[in-house]
């Protein structure tokens, strides 16, 4: 059994706490908000961690704070010689990200970034079909995510969340960088150019972009189109991949994969799999030296570079090379 410190007791911090406990791990929790902290203490019977009172070694820190606080806690974790699981995006700027990765490598500490859709059974099946060559060479990818921000976190005023504020690492581009990550993964080649239109279009009380249309090109000339927003009143998440021999469509809501490779197939995958649990199982295996992180710090840095390039493209109205 290993000991974990969960930093941040919001919805994602609670999810990681619950999953670690279900995997038989020892968990302590920390949050500067006493109400959020006490909620997890009461609900899961875990011990609150006070940095001024305790000096306990942890196998790993789970950093589930707003993005602007990710790096300070990550450096502190390395100062305690702990492994790191850090929620996406790895940070809200590139400042000191390279330094963090270099220090973690020097100390032989693992960094895994929370892009849990790498562990989603539907997308894992899509990746398998691609690797088998079922639709041939990938020509283009279209991905979409949308959900109304006030519906994201129950019992929380959306105006108080980091997603609503640019200076806290918010905005839909960074918060929905899952699409950048999994499209890059599915394409199987590096993104080289980024163009984006993004803005606050709704009447929501936010000071960050709520809608973005991102266009990217990869080294093998695959064109990727991503639409993300937090204005859609229904939860929408899907992806279509067009190859020179067929097409794949994945729909998160319907839990379906459509494959056309000369014949039509409607594939069913095990929707009971919990991608958040699976990513934590994978993190434990990495700590034990049994696996290598599927989403390591370098991957997190690269996705951040692309997401920030999209923001810059929208701001400067030009194509960015990345």
């Amino acid at each position: 059994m290993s000991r974990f410190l969960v930093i941040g007791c919001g919805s994602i911090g609670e999810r990681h706490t619950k999953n670690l406990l279900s995997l038989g791990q020892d968990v302590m929790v920390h949050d500067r908000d006493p109400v959020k902290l006490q909620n997890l203490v009461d609900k899961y019977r875990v011990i609150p961690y006070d940095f001024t009172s305790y000096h306990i070694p942890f196998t790993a820190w789970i950093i589930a704070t707003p993005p602007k606080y990710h790096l300070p806690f990550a450096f502190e974790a390395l100062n305690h010689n702990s492994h790191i699981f850090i929620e996406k995006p790895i940070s809200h700027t590139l400042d000191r990200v390279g330094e963090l990765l270099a220090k973690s490598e020097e100390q032989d500490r693992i960094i895994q970034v929370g892009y849990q859709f790498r562990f989603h059974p539907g997308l894992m099946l899509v990746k398998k079909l691609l690797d088998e060559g079922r639709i041939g060479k990938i020509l283009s990818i279209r991905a979409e995510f949308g959900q109304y921000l006030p519906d994201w976190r129950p019992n929380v005023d959306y105006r108080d969340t980091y997603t609503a504020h640019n200076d806290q690492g918010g905005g839909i581009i960074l918060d929905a960088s899952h699409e950048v990550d999994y499209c890059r993964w599915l394409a199987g080649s590096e993104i080289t150019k980024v163009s984006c239109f993004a803005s606050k279009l709704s009447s929501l009380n936010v000071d960050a972009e709520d809608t973005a249309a991102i266009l990217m090109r990869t080294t093998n000339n695959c064109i990727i189109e991503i639409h993300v927003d937090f204005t859609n009143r229904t939860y929408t998440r899907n992806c279509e991949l067009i190859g020179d021999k067929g097409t794949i469509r994945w729909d998160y809501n319907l839990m379906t994969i459509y494959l056309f490779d000369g014949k039509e197939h409607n594939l069913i995958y095990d929707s009971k799999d919990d991608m958040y649990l699976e990513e934590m199982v994978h993190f434990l295996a990495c700590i034990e030296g049994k696996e290598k992180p599927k989403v390591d710090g370098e991957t997190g840095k690269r996705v951040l570079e692309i997401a920030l390039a999209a923001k810059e493209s929208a701001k400067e109205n030009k194509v960015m090379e990345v």
Side-chain angles (χ1 to χ4, degrees):
M1 181 174 66
S2 299
R3 180 183 291 122
F4 292 82
L5 175 60
V6 175
I7 307 286
C9 297
S11 58
I12 191 62
E14 178 175 354
R15 188 187 293 270
H16 291 319
T17 298
K18 178 182 177 181
N19 285 339
L20 285 167
L21 290 172
S22 74
L23 294 170
Q25 305 304 309
D26 186 14
V27 180
M28 296 183 75
V29 295
H30 173 83
D31 198 296
R32 64 180 182 177
D33 184 331
V35 175
K36 290 181 179 179
L37 179 64
Q38 196 61 45
N39 175 55
L40 261 62
V41 170
D42 293 341
K43 194 170 183 178
Y44 298 100
R45 297 294 185 263
V46 289
I47 299 173
Y49 186 80
D50 184 345
F51 283 94
T52 62
S53 302
Y54 296 116
H55 299 283
I56 299 173
F58 291 96
T59 307
W61 289 27
I62 311 296
I63 302 173
T65 65
K68 68 180 294 185
Y69 303 113
H70 283 182
L71 257 60
F73 279 117
F75 277 109
E76 189 66 18
L78 291 180
N79 289 340
H80 288 78
N81 203 36
S82 297
H83 298 290
I84 299 169
F85 181 97
I86 189 167
E87 268 304 324
K88 62 80 197 162
I90 193 169
S91 184
H92 65 308
T93 75
L94 287 167
D95 294 345
R96 301 193 72 193
V97 173
E99 181 185 344
L100 177 72
L101 302 187
K103 186 172 182 179
S104 68
E105 183 176 1
E106 179 184 333
Q107 295 182 204
D108 197 24
R109 298 295 88 182
I110 291 166
I111 294 180
Q112 182 172 322
V113 184
Y115 284 109
Q116 74 273 3
F117 278 92
R118 296 286 194 100
F119 301 88
H120 186 275
L123 282 180
M124 291 174 70
L125 178 53
V126 169
K127 179 63 172 173
K128 181 175 182 291
L129 294 170
L130 293 174
D131 290 345
E132 291 173 353
R134 295 291 290 272
I135 65 168
K137 178 185 176 182
I138 302 176
L139 306 177
S140 64
I141 302 175
R142 288 195 292 265
E144 178 184 14
F145 165 72
Q147 185 185 20
Y148 193 47
L149 181 59
D151 295 338
W152 281 26
R153 301 172 180 93
N155 305 317
V156 176
D157 188 329
Y158 77 90
R159 292 168 294 187
D160 297 332
T161 66
Y162 74 84
T163 307
H165 304 288
N166 253 326
D167 63 353
Q168 294 185 32
I172 191 60
I173 293 174
L174 286 178
D175 217 326
S177 55
H178 290 293
E179 271 57 38
V180 173
D181 174 65
Y182 79 66
C183 284
R184 177 175 175 262
W185 172 54
L186 294 177
S189 61
E190 189 54 80
I191 292 166
T192 58
K193 293 185 178 181
V194 179
S195 181
C196 178
F197 286 105
S199 185
K200 177 189 179 298
L201 301 179
S202 72
S203 59
L204 289 170
N205 190 7
V206 300
D207 60 20
E209 81 281 348
D210 58 26
T211 305
I214 307 170
L215 186 64
M216 302 182 290
R217 184 184 289 276
T218 71
T219 53
N220 63 0
N221 286 324
C222 175
I223 294 176
I224 301 173
E225 304 167 72
I226 296 175
H227 172 91
V228 288
D229 68 68
F230 54 64
T231 61
N232 196 330
R233 295 303 181 101
T234 63
Y235 184 103
T236 302
R237 186 163 245 144
N238 55 68
C239 182
E240 180 177 68
L241 303 99
I242 299 173
D244 60 1
K245 295 181 181 179
T247 300
I248 295 174
R249 297 193 193 106
W250 167 71
D251 192 298
Y252 177 87
N253 291 357
L254 299 178
M255 295 183 292
T256 60
I257 294 173
Y258 167 83
L259 167 66
F260 179 81
D261 60 353
K263 295 182 179 180
E264 293 186 4
H265 311 270
N266 288 302
L267 306 177
I268 299 174
Y269 54 85
D270 188 354
S271 60
K272 295 178 182 178
D273 288 353
D274 184 337
M275 58 184 170
Y276 293 96
L277 181 61
E278 290 304 316
E279 74 173 346
M280 202 52 64
V281 169
H282 173 66
F283 184 50
L284 292 176
C286 292
I287 289 173
E288 294 168 1
K290 298 176 182 177
E291 297 181 25
K292 297 291 185 182
K294 293 181 180 180
V295 192
D296 59 13
E298 289 292 345
T299 300
K301 178 175 180 286
R302 185 57 180 160
V303 174
L304 178 60
E305 288 172 344
I306 296 165
L308 292 177
K311 279 181 169 281
E312 186 69 14
S313 171
K315 180 181 177 181
E316 299 295 334
N317 193 29
K318 66 179 182 180
V319 176
M320 307 297 295
E321 296 191 1
V322 291

